[in-house]
Amino acid sequence: MSEFPGRASSLPSHTPSRAPDPPTRRTALRQRLAELRGPDVPAQPLDARALAALAANPGCQRRALLDGAGVDKATLAQSLGSPASFGQSQFAFMRGNAFEAKVKADGGAELLRLVHGSLGGGPEPVPGESSVPDLAAVGPEGRAARTSLALREATSTEGWTLLDHPMLALDVAGTPAFLEPDAVVIHPDGTWTVVEIKSFPMIDGSADPAKVGAAARQAAVYALALERVAAHMEPAPQVRHHVLLVCPKDFSNLPTASAIDVRKQLSVTRRQLARLTRIEDIAAALPEGTTFDVTRPAADLTAAVESVPATYAPECLAACELAFHCRERSREQDAVTALGRALRGELGGLTTVTGVLSAAHGTSGDAADPAVAALRRAAALRSEALSGVGASGGGRAGGAPC
């Protein structure tokens, strides 16, 4: 789903425009990705949550390829013997759906009231007079086209319009991703707002910062996709950089809302997605016959997964189904990335835990290297502290208790 309201503004895309791929090239890529998934295996949709996680780790070619190919990473992790231990319970899923239905009841009257109260954008909405267009169409491409048409029509009406589960398209590393936000509201002033509806509580006006942060990153992906739609309209409508987060109030089931400024998340997501290596380039570098078909033996699947470079960090444990598998491999390789990106950045050219310990103990490394000098100073301070504790502890052990 979707902290402080502000003026609507337009965030232009900084990604250079690129001519669309020829149809034959796109068809060949789709066929290649289907081969990677395995015969008759339906593709898993690439949603905003996955895109936000991908943008947070753009150097991981493994996740980029698997997500681009629509591989079911949870099933793949199970087949590799490293199942993921996170996910939403069925009870939480049902509770979330029930709360969302309550928020959108009566033509979205309560939701529009919350949007107006938090963000303004025109006169107060009158129940029953707002528009909720039908966005039904065949396939995700059809729904995305219908959503674009509805956005264009609603922007010129100078009234309140609620788009319930619209479909937005976004190009990710050369492959299309279809995204479905909870809602998009078109204000009478022609501006657009992304709405995220979550079932975690907002107590005394505040919610869990980690959950709010995740919702903001997810909403930023939707806002980015909306910018792509707006860019094809003349004049281009403004996509508000504040999204509306709707949650249950305190311990009730009554909705309350807060506006979240996602300019930072938008900037990061835009930059990181632009850094992604194109999926077709990653696929072209794979050995002949590589497939992630989960019906294959575990040894074959392991070899296929290991053929794609990964960039593991502890943050992956909360965002990727293959994190436990990648963590195990990272530990086997003695890689310092398993300790976190921040630490890895401080260690410079030291890439293994063994190398770090060796440099700290003075058996390797250049003393002029700032990272090596800092490690040796830290090791000396640690040794000095432990010597003091040992002497003090020994005295107490041999004498009378205090």
Side-chain angles (χ1 to χ4, degrees):
M1 253 178 258
S2 304
E3 222 160 319
F4 305 99
R7 181 177 58 85
S9 69
S10 175
L11 291 173
S13 171
H14 300 290
T15 304
S17 59
R18 177 175 56 85
D21 295 332
T24 53
R25 184 177 177 182
R26 293 197 299 267
T27 301
L29 178 59
R30 284 198 296 267
Q31 291 174 347
R32 177 67 174 125
L33 297 180
E35 292 171 359
L36 290 174
R37 285 195 306 272
D40 304 320
V41 178
Q44 292 290 308
L46 185 57
D47 59 16
R49 185 173 299 172
L51 275 180
L54 189 57
N57 191 8
C60 187
Q61 296 186 25
R62 182 176 297 169
R63 171 149 198 166
L65 179 63
L66 294 175
D67 282 347
V71 175
D72 186 342
K73 298 195 301 298
T75 304
L76 179 60
Q78 185 76 40
S79 300
L80 292 172
S82 303
S85 62
F86 65 88
Q88 192 176 40
S89 69
Q90 188 64 24
F91 173 75
F93 184 75
M94 294 173 62
R95 182 182 60 189
N97 282 345
F99 178 69
E100 181 177 335
K102 178 183 180 66
V103 171
K104 294 178 179 178
D106 300 323
E110 178 64 13
L111 176 55
L112 292 175
R113 185 189 68 79
L114 292 171
V115 172
H116 177 265
S118 298
L119 296 170
E124 186 174 352
V126 178
E129 295 185 5
S130 303
S131 176
V132 186
D134 182 7
L135 303 179
V138 178
E141 293 90 349
R143 290 185 59 198
R146 180 69 189 90
T147 296
S148 297
L149 179 60
L151 284 166
R152 185 183 299 273
E153 293 174 344
T155 302
S156 62
T157 62
E158 299 183 355
W160 289 95
T161 300
L162 169 64
L163 301 187
D164 187 5
H165 283 285
M167 183 66 72
L168 306 172
L170 185 65
D171 182 86
V172 181
T175 59
F178 293 97
L179 313 172
E180 189 176 1
D182 293 325
V184 171
V185 170
I186 297 87
H187 301 244
D189 63 5
T191 57
W192 302 351
T193 294
V194 174
V195 178
E196 275 288 278
I197 304 173
K198 298 296 186 185
S199 59
F200 56 79
M202 193 176 292
I203 301 174
D204 292 333
S206 299
D208 184 335
K211 293 180 178 179
V212 172
R217 290 189 294 271
Q218 186 175 337
V221 175
Y222 295 136
L224 184 60
L226 274 178
E227 288 180 355
R228 299 295 190 264
V229 177
H232 290 87
M233 298 171 60
E234 185 61 41
Q238 293 180 330
V239 180
R240 289 176 175 255
H241 59 69
H242 282 84
V243 303
L244 193 72
L245 174 64
V246 182
C247 299
K249 182 179 182 180
D250 299 326
F251 300 99
S252 70
N253 199 37
L254 298 175
T256 188
S258 177
I260 306 174
D261 189 342
V262 296
R263 280 175 292 186
K264 179 180 178 180
Q265 290 84 352
L266 260 171
S267 178
V268 170
T269 301
R270 185 185 293 114
R271 183 175 66 251
Q272 299 294 62
L273 290 181
R275 287 178 54 199
L276 286 173
T277 303
R278 290 177 62 84
I279 302 299
E280 58 186 330
D281 296 335
I282 303 174
L286 296 178
E288 188 69 28
T290 298
T291 178
F292 304 104
D293 185 352
V294 294
T295 62
R296 303 281 293 175
D300 292 350
L301 282 176
T302 300
V305 169
E306 295 303 314
S307 68
V308 189
T311 305
Y312 170 78
E315 294 88 347
C316 297
L317 293 171
C320 183
E321 294 85 344
L322 286 177
F324 290 102
H325 174 84
C326 296
R327 181 179 65 175
E328 182 180 349
R329 291 295 182 270
S330 183
R331 288 174 172 175
E332 290 175 357
Q333 296 166 3
D334 201 29
V336 295
T337 50
L339 305 178
R341 292 194 187 95
L343 181 58
R344 172 68 188 90
E346 295 289 339
L347 293 174
L350 302 172
T351 59
T352 66
V353 175
T354 300
V356 170
L357 294 176
S358 177
H361 295 148
T363 57
S364 69
D366 182 1
D369 186 332
V372 174
L375 286 168
R376 291 179 181 176
R377 175 59 178 160
L381 290 173
R382 179 179 183 275
S383 178
E384 180 181 335
L386 290 177
S387 297
V389 169
S392 175
R396 286 195 301 269
C402 298

